[in-house]
Amino acid sequence: EYEQHLKQKQDQKELEKQLEEEQMRLRKERAEKEQADFEIWKNKIVVEEAGMEAQDQSQIRQRDENIINHLKENKVCVLDDVATVFKMKIEDLIEKIKELQDQGKLYGVIDDRGTFIFVTQQEMIKIATFVKQRGRVHIEEIVGESNRLVDLN
């Protein structure tokens, strides 16, 4: 009886081992099939555009005009607030402002605290004239004259 009992235990272990091997084989087959399916679908998926939602040129021009008008009307603007109004990242807004300045559509200064100060073209001309008339000037003199010439209201 003892030998029979040992034989049953050995058979049971053998069956458990076979069952475990069969489960491993099935898991491996399933993983291979899933990987093959993934590869098929991966090659069918194409990313056409990434990042911001695609906008047509008229929407971009309209947003640019809205930004320019907002900055002109408010004269002194905290860029975080402006970015929130236009649902933009602060970095993207600063880039947009620089782009508009390069295009000559916007004049102003961004200070080290993240504030944009709108300066009209006439005010810029007055500051340039001051520098040309005085010749060599210190930054403090330019700041003082700018404070006098630039209307912050």
Side-chain angles (χ1 to χ4, degrees), residues 117-132:
I117 302 168
F118 176 76
V119 180
T120 66
Q121 193 170 11
Q122 293 77 18
E123 291 167 337
M124 280 289 228
I125 291 169
K126 288 177 184 177
I127 294 168
T129 303
F130 168 77
V131 172
K132 285 180 187 175

Side-chain angles (χ1 to χ4, degrees), residues 21-51:
E21 287 173 356
E22 182 65 17
Q23 287 175 340
M24 283 182 60
R25 185 185 65 77
L26 289 173
R27 278 193 294 255
K28 184 178 177 186
E29 283 179 11
R30 187 178 325 126
E32 288 172 355
K33 183 180 181 326
E34 286 175 358
Q35 183 63 33
D37 288 346
F38 170 77
E39 292 298 326
I40 289 169
W41 281 104
K42 181 178 87 170
N43 293 328
K44 289 183 179 182
I45 296 172
V46 177
V47 177
E48 293 181 3
E49 290 190 40

Side-chain angles (χ1 to χ4, degrees), residues 141-152:
E141 292 176 291
I142 295 173
V143 170
E145 189 66 15
S146 296
N147 286 339
R148 190 179 70 73
L149 294 174
V150 176
D151 179 20
L152 296 178

Side-chain angles (χ1 to χ4, degrees), residues 5-127:
H5 179 66
L6 281 177
K7 176 92 167 116
Q8 283 178 341
K9 280 222 176 223
Q10 197 175 23
D11 289 345
Q12 186 178 1
K13 283 185 180 181
E14 184 72 28
L15 283 173
E16 286 175 0
K17 184 178 176 185
Q18 288 175 352
L19 181 62
E20 190 175 311
E21 287 173 356
E22 182 65 17
Q23 287 175 340
M24 283 182 60
R25 185 185 65 77
L26 289 173
R27 278 193 294 255
K28 184 178 177 186
E29 283 179 11
R30 187 178 325 126
E32 288 172 355
K33 183 180 181 326
E34 286 175 358
Q35 183 63 33
D37 288 346
F38 170 77
E39 292 298 326
I40 289 169
W41 281 104
K42 181 178 87 170
N43 293 328
K44 289 183 179 182
I45 296 172
V46 177
V47 177
E48 293 181 3
E49 290 190 40
M52 288 181 22
E53 292 179 14
Q55 296 177 325
D56 65 19
Q57 290 299 320
S58 65
Q59 288 175 317
I60 291 170
R61 276 193 300 275
Q62 184 60 48
R63 187 189 64 187
D64 290 355
E65 287 301 315
N66 290 341
I67 290 171
I68 291 168
N69 290 335
H70 182 84
L71 295 173
K72 281 181 179 179
E73 289 170 10
N74 294 297
K75 195 75 173 168
V76 177
C77 302
V78 176
L79 293 178
D80 278 332
D81 297 342
V82 178
T84 301
V85 168
F86 291 99
K87 297 178 176 84
M88 298 174 74
K89 292 181 188 172
I90 185 77
E91 298 84 14
D92 294 339
L93 176 64
I94 291 171
E95 201 58 42
K96 178 54 72 177
I97 288 172
K98 289 178 181 177
E99 179 185 314
L100 293 169
Q101 287 178 317
D102 291 344
Q103 294 171 359
K105 295 179 180 180
L106 183 66
Y107 299 94
V109 179
I110 299 175
D111 73 6
D112 58 343
R113 294 168 294 172
T115 302
F116 180 82
I117 302 168
F118 176 76
V119 180
T120 66
Q121 193 170 11
Q122 293 77 18
E123 291 167 337
M124 280 289 228
I125 291 169
K126 288 177 184 177
I127 294 168

